[in-house]
Amino acid sequence: MIRRRTMLGGALAAPLVAGARDAAAQEVTLRAVSAFQEGTAFSRPFEAFIAKVNEEGRGRIRITFIGGPRAMPPFEQGNALRNGVVDMINATAAFYEPLLPEGAALKLATNDWATVRRNGGAALINRLHNEKVNAQHLARHGDAMPFHLYLTREISGPDLRGLTIRTSPVYRAFFTALGANLVNTAPGEVFTALERGVVQGYGWPAHGIFDLGWHERTKFRVDPPFYRVEVNILVNLRRWNGLNEAQKAVLTSAAEWVEAGEAERSRQAIAADYARMQQAGIRVIEFTGEARERWLKAAQDAGWDEVSRITPQHAAELRRLLSGG
Ligand code: 173
């Protein structure tokens, strides 16, 4: 389709361009889905982004929120975006891993996202999204929040042998290195897996376990936390390229707004959930001293080993930009 259009030269090209310009002058509507359930921790920043765009973009650009995982399964949203079935998604790179395996590096950053924007790392991440997901990377949220391991059984050190843990690609290399058996599920299946005793724990960020009732089945939180959450707001590249400058500016400015509010929002969300966990009787297993070092080192080492295997050509550069001084 695209190839045929570009091969149509001369006479036909002019009306097509004029048509595109007319369309851009009118209000453009983008159809969006979220990999996280509506109203929950990692969907709310996206819903706020949509409200902002719809307010600031009135008459120029509008986002229709189709819904969350019930509208489209989380692991399918990357493909749907790439193929233009939807125009915008809110998803962690872990959920579109088959399209962009290099995304595994994002969570390993020790630099915050503002630093990665300044040092060219975000431009590289965007280029990879352009090439492999057919998408423009607009915003990253969750960046000021780490992940935890949550358990139904007590452990005495950084050793997960004998445990079956719910994972996503985020924790896979790390928990495997510590000997766990893993079950990969979308967030929507965590409660049932816990309820049935299929898993004795799960990886999840520091915030959000109350959203879907997992606290009822959670006995322990393991400290310290590790990594950085990455949830990305992406727009189909062809739709992005078809927008005029004013329309692009509405999306870019809403993206900056989401990222600017991130640190404070995460700080409050984490504090609130830690307090609520304590009230709910969830106990903290805290690794200290040598065990703490071993835990955190295993997280980083396993993560970067995986990235080096996945993308030998980009691993060193990603590490320099995401975690270099
Ligand atoms: O499903 C997950 O545990 C996961 O990968 C994730 C990533 C970012 C935010 C929330 C969950």
Side-chain angles (χ1 to χ4, degrees), residues 63 178 186 202 251 256 276 281 303:
I63 300 172
L178 295 179
Y202 56 95
L251 293 183
E256 284 167 4
R276 222 176 139 188

Side-chain angles (χ1 to χ4, degrees), residues 290-304:
E290 185 272 335
R292 177 191 166 93
E293 296 313 312
R294 200 146 42 89
W295 172 252
L296 294 175
K297 186 168 168 8
Q300 282 289 320
D301 288 355
W304 283 113

Side-chain angles (χ1 to χ4, degrees), residues 1 79 164:
M1 185 75 164
N79 254 323
T164 302

Side-chain angles (χ1 to χ4, degrees), residues 234-282:
L234 310 177
V235 58
N236 172 278
L237 188 57
R238 211 166 141 245
R239 291 308 306 270
W240 170 257
N241 288 334
L243 300 176
N244 64 30
E245 290 312 310
Q247 290 161 337
K248 283 181 180 170
V250 172
L251 293 183
T252 305
S253 120
E256 284 167 4
W257 174 78
V258 165
E259 290 186 359
E262 177 54 34
E264 182 54 22
R265 192 171 53 232
S266 285
R267 198 185 58 72
Q268 287 180 14
I270 295 167
D273 267 19
Y274 281 1
R276 222 176 139 188
M277 286 177 208
Q278 197 178 9
Q279 277 162 19
I282 295 172

Side-chain angles (χ1 to χ4, degrees), residues 23-87:
Q26 293 160 9
E27 189 176 76
V28 164
T29 301
L30 302 175
R31 290 158 42 89
V33 291
S34 172
F36 297 95
Q37 190 173 310
E38 300 92 314
T40 63
F42 301 98
S43 190
R44 281 197 303 269
F46 183 50
E47 291 162 30
F49 168 88
I50 292 173
K52 186 89 173 160
V53 167
N54 289 348
E55 191 185 310
E56 313 265 314
R58 207 176 294 267
R60 284 176 297 195
I61 184 163
R62 165 162 199 91
I63 300 172
T64 304
F65 185 33
I66 301 171
R70 274 188 293 260
M72 182 181 290
F75 299 151
E76 291 174 20
Q77 295 191 6
N79 254 323
L81 179 72
R82 189 180 62 159
N83 300 335
V85 172
V86 294
D87 302 314

